[in-house]
Amino acid sequence: MTGLKKVKKKRRVWLIVIVGTMLATATALIGYGLRDGINYFRAPAQVAEDPPPENEVFRIGGLVEEGSLVRGQGETITFRVTDGAASIPVIYTGVLPDLFREGEGMVGTGRLVGGVFRATEILAKHDETYMPKEVIDALKEQGVYVDPGS
Amino acid sequence: MSIWEYANPRRFMGWSAPLVPLFSALAALLIALGLVWGFFFTPEDYRMGSTVKIIYIHVPSAMMAINIWVMMLVASLIWLVRRHHVSALAAKAAAPIGVVMTLIALITGAIWGQPMWGTWWAWDPRLTSFLILFLFYLGYMALWAAIEDPDTAADLTGMLCLVGSVFAVLSRYAVNFWNQGLHQGATLSLDAEENISDVFWLPLLVCMAGFGVLFAALVLLRTRTEIRLRRLHVLEARDRTGRKGSGEG
């Protein structure tokens, strides 16, 4: 095996440039072509625009709409998930993650039956905002706190 | 004098010798300071409570996992273009450190994700590309071990490193390319306004500096070991051919 040993330096540089360009192009094409598969969830607006068939299991993600969370019997809850453009009702029975609350992000797995998303699993999604509790409390008292999720 | 003269093995052994204990001490100091500060002297987060404190290990290790691959890429490209043996050995020496950082980030991420997101693992774009990066580290090390001729091994692992860089880049920027993932965006970014409060950010910065210096100490130490190993092989080979020659004579 000769490998790169006998290739001249200038041609080695060109080889690397060409390999790098091809890799970047391939990644961009694959990433664009498979974006529906790579994206972890669909937004409520996407689901409202193009509702999946009742037997398709998919994930929906967005914010838990303020004032929509209703705790029913036992562990069953209903709420609406929104992305600002559309809002989809969700029904779920099971354990919720710590961060799940109104105004926060969530990702649910399940099926859309009769316009209602029946979730089998709910995850919480949060952003990269980290703030001490005391600071938020103080800001809320002064009435200047703006929820980063809104 | 050209900067490339520092890559001469003999010179490299000279200037790196005093740096190893210096960087080791500095890393121990920074990591101890950052972790103690972060774990015991920071307030609780408004949403996550004390769970946020795992950030002091998760973010620096994830950052180093990606940066080490980029360092290996730079070292591999220098080898492929200029044929400096120390550069190839530095890339080889960095891989096991990188794989440990990746593993730490994966484990702390799972521990963080379970209570906060509600799952240990999700096939989110960022998490998935990070897992592939981990597998690339393993493949890279396996390829070095599989090829006997050191120059051929350096050539082929260099090319593998180039391919793996796709996933190093995606691990960092997947959130920007596919915005519908579970993982949040970068905690620290140069272009956006910081969303992390200073009380968390300062100890995090100390931890990240500590992990960076720790890597510098380890990679210098391991590169020195690789150089000595290479010299040993040369001496052994010379010894073998010498004995064979005298046997025939």
Side-chain angles (χ1 to χ4, degrees):
Chain A
M1 190 189 277
T2 50
L4 287 168
K5 265 178 228 170
K6 300 212 171 110
V7 185
K8 285 208 176 71
K9 183 174 161 190
K10 202 172 176 188
R11 301 200 64 175
R12 290 202 300 268
V13 174
W14 273 111
L15 191 69
I16 290 166
V17 169
I18 291 167
V19 169
T21 315
M22 290 195 315
L23 270 175
T25 315
T27 311
L29 287 174
I30 293 170
Y32 183 74
L34 297 180
R35 63 195 179 284
D36 289 339
I38 294 172
N39 272 328
Y40 192 64
F41 59 81
R42 294 180 206 173
Q46 285 172 298
V47 175
E49 196 180 296
D50 178 24
E54 290 195 354
N55 57 3
E56 186 184 336
V57 176
F58 66 99
R59 292 194 195 88
I60 193 167
L63 296 175
V64 181
E65 201 169 270
E66 296 278 357
S68 72
L69 183 63
V70 179
R71 290 182 195 274
Q73 294 223 312
E75 286 183 318
T76 302
I77 59 155
T78 61
F79 62 92
R80 296 181 75 84
V81 55
T82 178
D83 59 354
S87 139
I88 305 273
V90 180
I91 182 162
Y92 172 68
T93 306
V95 185
L96 290 165
D98 287 4
L99 278 185
F100 183 87
R101 62 196 67 157
E102 287 185 354
E104 294 286 348
M106 63 72 71
V107 176
T109 312
R111 292 178 297 134
L112 193 67
V113 181
V116 178
F117 188 79
R118 295 177 173 275
T120 53
E121 185 190 34
I122 288 204
L123 304 179
K125 175 172 163 57
H126 62 86
D127 58 19
E128 62 277 22
T129 311
Y130 306 103
M131 287 245 247
K133 226 179 251 169
E134 294 84 0
V135 174
I136 296 288
D137 291 345
L139 287 176
K140 273 183 180 159
E141 258 169 46
Q142 293 161 18
V144 294
Y145 174 66
V146 186
D147 196 301
S150 63
Chain B
M1 194 182 90
S2 152
I3 189 170
W4 299 111
E5 287 183 30
Y6 289 102
N8 172 292
R10 193 181 304 256
R11 276 186 156 275
F12 175 85
M13 292 306 264
W15 66 256
S16 63
L19 289 183
V20 174
L22 184 74
F23 284 173
S24 305
L26 192 62
L29 194 74
L30 284 172
I31 291 175
L33 174 72
L35 289 185
V36 170
W37 185 358
F39 287 163
F40 302 110
F41 300 100
T42 54
E44 298 198 337
D45 179 65
Y46 73 114
R47 282 182 303 199
M48 300 192 187
S50 55
T51 316
V52 75
K53 292 183 179 184
I54 204 163
I55 201 173
Y56 301 111
I57 299 177
H58 180 72
V59 169
S61 58
M63 179 193 79
M64 287 316 294
I66 296 166
N67 287 356
I68 289 172
W69 192 275
V70 174
M71 172 263 163
M72 283 160 57
L73 173 69
V74 172
S76 299
L77 289 181
I78 292 174
W79 156 257
L80 288 173
V81 175
R82 298 193 63 108
R83 316 304 273 186
H84 286 297
H85 283 91
V86 174
S87 190
L89 290 179
K92 183 187 182 188
I97 313 168
V99 80
V100 171
M101 290 291 179
T102 318
L103 199 60
I104 294 174
L106 283 170
I107 292 170
T108 52
I111 295 171
W112 198 1
Q114 168 57 23
M116 289 300 112
W117 293 344
T119 184
W120 299 98
W121 180 260
W123 294 103
D124 156 278
R126 195 175 196 184
L127 272 65
T128 309
S129 36
F130 201 73
L131 180 68
I132 298 173
L133 181 66
F134 175 68
L135 298 176
F136 256 94
Y137 267 117
L138 296 181
Y140 180 89
M141 285 157 59
L143 191 59
W144 263 110
I147 302 170
E148 212 158 315
D149 177 50
D151 284 6
T152 311
D155 282 342
L156 294 181
T157 54
M159 280 296 163
L160 183 72
C161 188
L162 194 61
V163 177
S165 302
V166 167
F167 295 97
V169 170
L170 286 185
S171 299
R172 181 161 293 163
Y173 297 108
V175 186
N176 306 35
F177 299 146
W178 300 280
N179 56 3
Q180 291 168 1
L182 187 62
H183 199 288
Q184 63 278 18
T187 308
L188 308 167
S189 46
L190 295 173
D191 51 340
E193 197 185 333
E194 299 301 350
N195 290 314
I196 181 164
S197 174
D198 274 356
V199 286
F200 300 131
W201 188 67
L202 292 175
L204 182 58
L205 206 63
V206 174
C207 284
M208 292 197 300
F211 273 65
V213 179
L214 174 69
F215 167 67
L218 288 175
V219 80
L220 286 178
L221 184 70
R222 290 186 51 84
T223 309
R224 290 170 60 80
T225 311
E226 291 288 345
I227 291 174
R228 288 191 171 126
L229 210 59
R230 188 66 69 87
R231 286 178 177 169
L232 201 63
H233 287 317
V234 171
L235 287 176
E236 274 175 355
R238 201 179 292 166
D239 199 34
R240 261 200 306 277
T241 51
R243 211 179 295 155
K244 205 189 284 171
S246 65
E248 281 165 3

